[in-house]
Structure formats: C-alpha cells, structure tokens
Amino acid sequence: MSKILTMSGIAKRFGPVQALGGVDFDLDRGEIHALLGINGAGKSTLIKILSGVYVKDEGTITIDGEAVELGTPRAAIEAGVATVQQHPELVPDCTGVENIFLGGEGASPGLFRRMNRAAMREKAQKLLVRFPIEIDLDARVGEMPAVDREIVAILHALRHDHIKILILDEPTSTLTEREKASLFQMMRALQAGGISIIYITHRLEEVYEIADRFTVFRGGRNVATMTLGEARLTGVSIPELMLDEAAGDLYPARDGRSDGDVLLEAKGLGCGAHFSGVDLVARRGEILGIFGLVGSGVDELSKVLYGAMRHDVGELVVKGETRNFRGAHDGLAAGIFLVPGDRRTEGLTMTKDVVFNTTVAHLGRASWVGGLLRMRANRQASERLARDVGLQPFELDRPVSAFSGGNQQKIVIAKGLFRDADIYIFAEPTVGVDIGARAKLYALMRELSQRAAVIVVSSDCDEVHGLADRVLALYKGRPVHPGGAEPTRDQLLAAGIMGARAA
C-alpha cells in the first residue's frame, strides 16, 4: 500500500523541554491509523505540527509524494490535512448545513453579502453522497445527539474536496456505545471514500475495533508501529508499550470495609423524567459505583446528589439530616463536591491558570479574612495537588485551555481535593485520561475513600466494576440491581444496557 504521508526526523523543542526527538511517522493511503501514548508522550505535538499549529524544528514532511512546509493551519488545509478537535467548536443555533460551511457560506463578494443557502445545501448533499451516513443536516446543532454533532464537525473538516488526511482527536469521549458504532460506520465510509485517518484515543479497546495499524509514542519518540495482527501474533501489550513497564493491576485493592459512617443516603429519589425510585447509601471508607449509559439518568443523578439540580420525589439525607438543596452552593456547604462529566463547561474556567482553577471552589481557604488571596499558600497547595494527580506539563501559570483533555480532568480533580469535602462524586472521572494516569487517579480515589464517601458515576462498566466496593446500575432512568453481593462484570453490564439481571 502506498504512503499518503511520511514524517521523518521530526523534532520540536519548547525551551528546555524536548517534546519530539527526531520521530518518524507514516500513514498509508486509505488507512485508519491509531496514534497512542500517555499524556505528554508527544503525540499531540506531532499532530499540531501536521495541522500547522506548531512549526517543526527539524525533519521533513511529505504528502502524496511532495515535500511540504506546514507553518499555518491554512497551509495544512491547502496541503490536504484537516483536523477535528476533541471538543469541536460548533454554533448550536445554526443548522448542520450552516455549521459545515461556516466561513465559506458560498456568498458572492461585496459589502452586503448574503448566504447562498441553496448552494450550501447542494454541497452538503454531495458530501453525503460521497460519504453515506444518515443525518438530518437541517436540524439545529444544539438539538442534535452527540454523534451527529461529531459528524457535522467531520463534514466541516471535509468540506474542501482536496482533503486527503483527516485527524480525529478523541471523537468518542462523550458518545454512547450505539453512537460510537455510528461514528465508526462514518469512519469506514470515509475510508472507502479515499480519506486516510489518524485516530487519537485513550480507549484501547477501540484500537482493535477500528484501526488498521497503531503507533505508540513514549517520551517524545516512536517506540512501535505495527498492525493489529502483528501485535496479536507477537503478544505485544499496548499498555506496556505506552508505560515502558508491566501494566500491572489498574485498580487498587479493596480493603473490605463496609461499616463506615453513612454520609449520604437517597430514598426513592426522583427528578422529573430523568430518573426515579433511586435508593442508595454512601459510606465513609468505601467507593459506591453507579453505572449507566449516556442518557440513562446518571448525569442528572450526580447533579441532584450535589444540589446542581433539584429532586421532586423522595428524600436526600446528608450526614443524618434531610436536605432540599436550592443549588450547588448548598451542596458545597454540606460538604459535597462534584467532579462533573463536562469539565470544559461545568468544571473549569478555561482562560484562567491552574492555581486559580484549583483554589476557586474554596475561597474561604484561599483567602485571608479581608478577602485578599493567599497567593503563596495557594500556589504551594496547587503544586502539591498537581503532583498528586500527575499533571503534565507541570506549568501552573498556563491557562487550562492549553492543556490536553486528560490533564484538564486532572485539574478538576485537584480542585475537588483542595475543597477537602466529606462526600465526593466523580462523574465520568477518566474521560480522555490515558491508562497510566488512570491508575494514579484510581489509587487517589481509593486513598480518598478512607476519609470520605466516594461515589463514582460512569458509563464505563469496567471502571465501575473494577473500582467500586458496591455497585448500582441505571437503565432508562430506573435503578437496576445487578444481583448478588458482588455482581460480575457481565451482570453489571447486562443491568446497565438491557435493564435486567444477567442470566
């Protein structure tokens, strides 16, 4: 198979930090190639060089047999490279068609330009003929499911006919299993249409499902490139390649405690059409796991327990006192902290630095009596917590928007630890977090559970089953007990995706 892309001897340095040390990477024509590595391994730097965000210090790039210089995003697009970021910036009030052609609406030049909607719709239909996928592009993006928004972002990237290489950065991080299947269908249609795809993911099971080859970066170097068949034949472990060590146990050992103080209890809890009839108990000294797919009500349940949403049925008891929270401030005052699933809009102030984001949830601790910030103490606390969560790079003055998604999640968790709460609710805690950082965060949650009640709410069945002492599943808004004192992973999965106990 011929090469559509060859990157040779690519080097990039940021001050004293060597982000890439002369790496090689190639992409076959019509291939889906997974690019893997823990946060800070260098894969994001390589992709930013390819997409024109960074300028390489050394090396050569050849696209379709021609040497190219990709100094700007425009130059990358002109060379046939398009990128869909992990969180595509779309306009919710505009339709799919309008979002696809943002910045190129087909209007004729002049002072009083108008959108040529007919031309836009015609071009959109041509895209759907080229890459067959079922989607209503006349719907407003804000009303679309997550997978359709991802497809709109992809079509926006491919609106230029000459695009040959598509980079997808963590496209499945917010998708359900069914939506993921729809996205993979779209990727195979792109592949069949002649598009070569570089696929970045931390979900290693997806590599075996969709990729033709994979490359692992570690420490700014390419440590392996092979097909999935070669990996199976030789017994290669992708996690061990990423970590340069035996992967070991991802989840920390349970200590068997079940007699800690009850800190939070729900009795017949319900919230409109989102969920109903939820009974749960969270104790100090253990981790309670709640498994449910996106749309099952788990996100709303986490917000009700915290106070960001109000329940309309049932009773919520916090440290022995029945509570009716009026908002998140009441939850915080009661000693509850929520690490939200949507870190960008609910967990972080993206334009502010790490110290600000770490300390903002507890201004009483972060300030002197007169309201002035305790600058030195806040920085020292932020440094300690950043080390605890494994923040990379360790640059506390950077705005959090400059960090990868996985590192942004670590900052949200550091923010929760600064709050020093009695009850922690982690919603989708490891979305976009690599396997090495996951093990560290899981160990941190286990340690935290020794002094606080910890609730982990996740659409990752393996995460809930591997981490929690007790588990509950939500299916279409109703609780389903998987069965048995210690249900198997298959029992928990059956409860969450089918609403019934496994046979």
Side-chain angles (χ1 to χ4, degrees):
M1 186 178 292
S2 62
K3 304 295 181 186
I4 186 70
L5 168 71
T6 302
M7 304 178 76
S8 302
I10 304 297
K12 181 65 180 179
R13 179 180 291 274
F14 298 97
V17 178
Q18 184 76 49
L20 292 175
V23 302
D24 299 331
F25 178 82
D26 63 72
L27 180 67
D28 289 337
R29 197 178 303 275
E31 174 189 34
I32 299 176
H33 193 132
L35 182 56
L36 311 172
I38 66 173
N39 292 325
K43 61 186 187 299
S44 295
T45 302
L46 184 85
I47 290 307
K48 287 181 179 179
I49 289 172
L50 182 57
S51 57
V53 177
Y54 293 159
V55 177
K56 59 182 172 55
D57 295 336
E58 300 175 17
T60 60
I61 302 174
T62 301
I63 296 178
D64 217 4
E66 296 185 7
V68 295
E69 292 295 333
L70 307 176
T72 64
R74 179 181 292 276
I77 290 174
E78 290 175 351
V81 181
T83 304
V84 178
Q85 302 294 343
Q86 183 177 359
H87 300 283
E89 300 293 342
L90 301 174
V91 182
D93 290 332
C94 290
T95 66
V97 170
E98 291 165 348
N99 271 276
I100 289 171
F101 295 102
L102 280 175
E105 290 82 357
S108 56
L111 182 60
F112 301 102
R113 296 184 296 172
R114 299 179 61 186
M115 288 187 184
N116 188 337
R117 297 183 184 277
M120 289 163 56
R121 185 169 282 104
E122 181 180 351
K123 290 179 180 179
Q125 290 304 317
K126 288 181 179 179
L127 281 173
L128 293 183
V129 170
R130 183 181 175 193
F131 310 116
I133 191 74
E134 291 185 11
I135 183 173
D136 179 11
L137 293 179
D138 291 321
R140 290 195 317 119
V141 162
E143 298 172 352
M144 289 181 174
V147 67
D148 284 2
R149 294 195 296 271
E150 190 72 32
I151 290 171
V152 168
I154 291 172
L155 293 176
H156 174 77
L158 297 176
R159 69 191 187 279
H160 304 290
D161 293 337
H162 65 279
I163 296 298
K164 310 163 189 175
I165 299 167
L166 178 66
I167 302 167
L168 298 179
D169 186 4
E170 294 281 354
T172 64
S173 60
T174 60
L175 303 186
T176 66
E177 287 299 311
R178 182 173 297 178
E179 289 175 329
K180 185 178 78 172
S182 297
L183 178 65
F184 284 177
Q185 178 187 351
M186 170 73 168
M187 290 172 63
R188 293 187 180 99
L190 298 177
Q191 186 180 27
I195 301 295
S196 303
I197 299 173
I198 300 174
Y199 182 62
I200 303 171
T201 183
H202 288 305
R203 296 182 173 183
L204 301 186
E205 70 277 6
E206 295 177 0
V207 177
Y208 292 93
E209 188 173 351
I210 193 65
D212 299 303
R213 284 192 301 163
F214 67 86
T215 288
V216 176
F217 271 33
R218 188 178 69 236
R221 298 185 180 278
N222 179 339
V223 297
T225 296
M226 62 184 68
T227 67
L228 276 301
E230 291 169 341
R232 291 190 182 97
L233 187 64
T234 57
V236 164
S237 166
I238 295 178
E240 291 177 14
L241 284 174
M242 293 169 64
L243 298 171
D244 193 25
E245 59 187 17
D249 292 328
L250 183 60
Y251 303 103
R254 302 176 176 90
D255 61 12
R257 289 181 57 187
S258 60
D259 57 352
D261 297 335
V262 174
L263 298 183
L264 184 145
E265 188 174 3
K267 302 176 181 179
L269 206 64
C271 178
H274 299 300
F275 65 86
S276 62
V278 172
D279 298 317
L280 60 83
V281 174
R283 295 182 173 88
R284 192 191 315 273
E286 69 175 11
I287 298 176
L288 171 66
I290 303 175
F291 167 61
L293 302 181
V294 176
S296 65
V298 289
D299 183 60
E300 291 81 5
L301 175 59
S302 69
K303 290 175 179 174
V304 167
L305 295 177
Y306 174 54
M309 293 178 65
R310 302 188 69 172
H311 65 280
D312 50 22
V313 177
E315 187 178 3
L316 182 63
V317 182
V318 181
K319 291 181 278 189
E321 181 182 351
T322 299
R323 303 299 298 262
N324 288 290
F325 294 144
R326 294 165 297 173
H329 57 283
D330 284 345
L332 280 172
I336 304 172
F337 189 88
L338 170 67
V339 177
D342 188 347
R343 54 183 171 251
R344 290 171 62 88
T345 59
E346 298 174 345
L348 295 169
T349 304
M350 301 298 290
T351 57
K352 297 292 187 179
D353 62 22
V354 176
V355 176
F356 176 91
N357 276 278
T358 300
T359 58
V360 70
H362 199 332
L363 292 179
R365 178 183 173 188
S367 306
W368 297 102
V369 175
L372 295 175
L373 291 175
R374 301 162 56 95
M375 303 297 289
R376 183 177 179 182
N378 291 346
R379 187 169 190 88
Q380 289 174 342
S382 298
E383 288 176 351
R384 175 176 55 81
L385 292 171
R387 290 191 182 93
D388 287 346
V389 299
L391 184 67
Q392 291 291 338
F394 196 83
E395 298 178 11
L396 304 191
D397 295 321
R398 294 178 68 177
V400 297
S401 60
F403 287 87
S404 67
N407 278 293
Q408 289 171 7
Q409 187 75 345
K410 295 175 187 177
I411 296 167
V412 180
I413 292 174
K415 175 183 174 182
L417 296 176
F418 183 82
R419 181 69 198 185
D420 197 22
D422 297 314
I423 302 160
Y424 284 91
I425 304 168
F426 293 89
E428 305 289 356
T430 57
V431 169
V433 178
D434 63 70
I435 190 168
R438 283 190 187 191
K440 189 177 185 70
L441 292 179
Y442 291 151
L444 202 155
M445 290 180 203
R446 176 57 64 185
E447 180 182 348
L448 188 63
S449 72
Q450 301 308 302
R451 63 171 181 81
V454 174
I455 303 172
V456 174
V457 182
S458 178
S459 59
D460 185 336
C461 179
D462 291 329
E463 181 168 76
V464 172
H465 184 261
L467 188 60
D469 300 287
R470 291 182 298 110
V471 296
L472 173 71
L474 239 63
Y475 175 75
K476 294 184 177 179
R478 63 183 179 88
V480 183
H481 294 276
E486 296 185 6
T488 66
R489 179 225 184 240
D490 289 343
Q491 285 176 319
L492 180 60
L493 187 64
I497 69 173
M498 296 186 293
R501 295 188 182 195

